[in-house]
Amino acid sequence: VLSLIEAQARVKNINLIRDYARKLPMILMDRTQVQQVLMNLCTNAMDAMPHGGQLTVRITPERMGAPSDKESVCFNVHDTGEGVPEEIRSRIFEPFFTTKEVGKGTGLGLSLAYEIVKNHQGKIVLDSEVGKGSSFRVYLPATPKETP
């Protein structure tokens, strides 16, 4: 996915940074669906940086929330773009909700990403600050370790 994104990023004056942990737990996933999630998040991130910026994709082992939560893999897509205003954050994953001008987006990318993550028993979290950028963190649970 990032190979496809990289060419678009160069054209849009966006620096793509890849940061992957050396050791990650195994996850059970539909590869095509998770690729779609990453593609949607990266495309939206680039759209939020019309004058260039930095797109960081970080993949790390993390808990889904509290330390007692399941071990998971976190895909963090962070941009230095415009950010998401507080008043629309609660609607960001609704189908057909878009902040893009007519003809530029369907409003289905984030709702599709949300459903895919939910179907994988994961969660997706948005952190954003207007004028400074956004981070979408996707948590997918690790497969249980086998016991002898």
Side-chain angles (χ1 to χ4, degrees):
V1 168
L2 294 184
S3 295
L4 295 172
I5 292 296
E6 193 165 33
Q8 293 176 24
R10 266 193 233 117
V11 169
K12 296 180 176 189
N13 197 31
I14 295 170
N15 183 29
L16 175 62
I17 296 175
R18 302 168 195 225
D19 182 14
Y20 310 142
R22 289 180 185 251
K23 194 170 186 179
L24 294 167
M26 295 292 290
I27 58 176
L28 184 60
M29 66 177 197
D30 181 306
R31 180 184 186 133
T32 303
Q33 289 182 355
V34 173
Q35 286 174 336
Q36 183 67 53
V37 170
L38 287 174
M39 181 67 81
N40 287 346
L41 294 177
C42 289
T43 300
N44 282 352
M46 288 191 300
D47 289 347
M49 299 183 284
H51 306 293
Q54 184 168 295
L55 172 59
T56 304
V57 178
R58 182 170 287 121
I59 304 174
T60 56
E62 289 188 29
R63 300 278 174 195
M64 282 197 204
S68 62
D69 283 352
K70 293 180 182 178
E71 183 180 31
S72 64
V73 172
C74 178
F75 298 82
N76 185 344
V77 177
H78 175 78
D79 67 68
T80 58
E82 300 168 349
V84 179
E86 180 72 39
E87 60 271 12
I88 65 168
R89 289 184 198 160
S90 64
R91 299 189 61 208
I92 203 82
F93 296 111
E94 289 179 13
F96 304 108
F97 178 79
T98 184
T99 59
K100 297 176 183 174
E101 58 189 79
V102 176
K104 298 284 184 178
T106 61
L108 293 174
L110 287 177
S111 65
L112 177 63
Y114 178 86
E115 287 302 315
I116 289 171
V117 171
K118 185 174 135 189
N119 288 341
H120 281 80
Q121 284 76 50
K123 73 178 185 177
I124 185 168
V125 178
L126 166 64
D127 293 314
S128 187
E129 189 173 340
V130 174
K132 294 197 175 183
S134 299
S135 287
F136 283 88
R137 289 175 288 135
V138 173
Y139 296 91
L140 298 178
T143 56
K145 294 183 175 91
E146 293 184 30
T147 54

